[in-house]
Amino acid sequence: QVQLVESGGGSVQAGGSLRLSCAASRYTYSTACMAWFRQTPGKGREGVASIDSNGRTTYTDSAKGRFTISKDNAKNTLYLQMNSLKPEDTAMYYCAGTGNYCYMAGTRALESHEYYYWGQGTQVTVSS
């Protein structure tokens, strides 16, 4: 059974940085599409950033220039470096993955229904 486990969330002040990690078991990152989503109470999951098996990345507009998604295939770990954090970035952050041999970028890559596997989430809180 595939397991995705996020870590690295926490509380920071506006302007600060956090790096989220997502470690996987029974799963191969190198051929999958991976993404980070976030969710606040009462709202649906919003795609933040994605990376496909060719390394193509997609970001939501609010994340461009501030967040960087990357993965270490050897360690089977996905990362999200978040800089210049804002209070509106406060949310539960989830990593997600697709099946193998995935090539996906653009709007479709940030749609939650494209992803099969999900972690349990890590909370990010940004105070003003």
Side-chain angles (χ1 to χ4, degrees):
Q1 184 176 354
V2 172
Q3 284 189 317
L4 303 179
V5 180
E6 303 95 335
S7 61
S11 298
V12 295
Q13 290 191 326
S17 298
L18 284 173
R19 188 175 81 155
L20 307 184
S21 299
C22 177
S25 59
R26 303 181 184 88
Y27 190 61
T28 302
Y29 276 12
S30 60
T31 57
C33 292
M34 303 296 300
W36 288 97
F37 288 79
R38 63 188 178 188
Q39 188 172 22
T40 54
K43 293 187 178 181
R45 288 186 182 180
E46 174 194 22
V48 176
S50 70
I51 185 166
D52 77 357
S53 57
N54 279 339
R56 293 183 301 171
T57 57
T58 302
Y59 296 92
T60 191
D61 286 345
S62 63
K64 290 177 182 175
R66 300 189 299 127
F67 294 3
T68 303
I69 189 171
S70 62
K71 60 179 179 173
D72 185 330
N73 291 332
K75 295 182 179 180
N76 247 14
T77 302
L78 179 73
Y79 302 100
L80 184 68
Q81 178 67 43
M82 304 188 294
N83 298 327
S84 302
L85 283 161
K86 305 176 181 179
E88 50 264 44
D89 294 318
T90 295
M92 185 71 78
Y93 282 71
Y94 299 89
C95 73
T98 67
N100 289 330
Y101 306 107
C102 173
Y103 308 93
M104 185 167 60
T107 302
R108 178 186 170 203
L110 296 181
E111 294 178 354
S112 59
H113 64 83
E114 296 287 350
Y115 295 85
Y116 314 149
Y117 306 111
W118 293 84
Q120 83 291 346
T122 186
Q123 177 68 37
V124 171
T125 303
V126 184
S127 58
S128 58

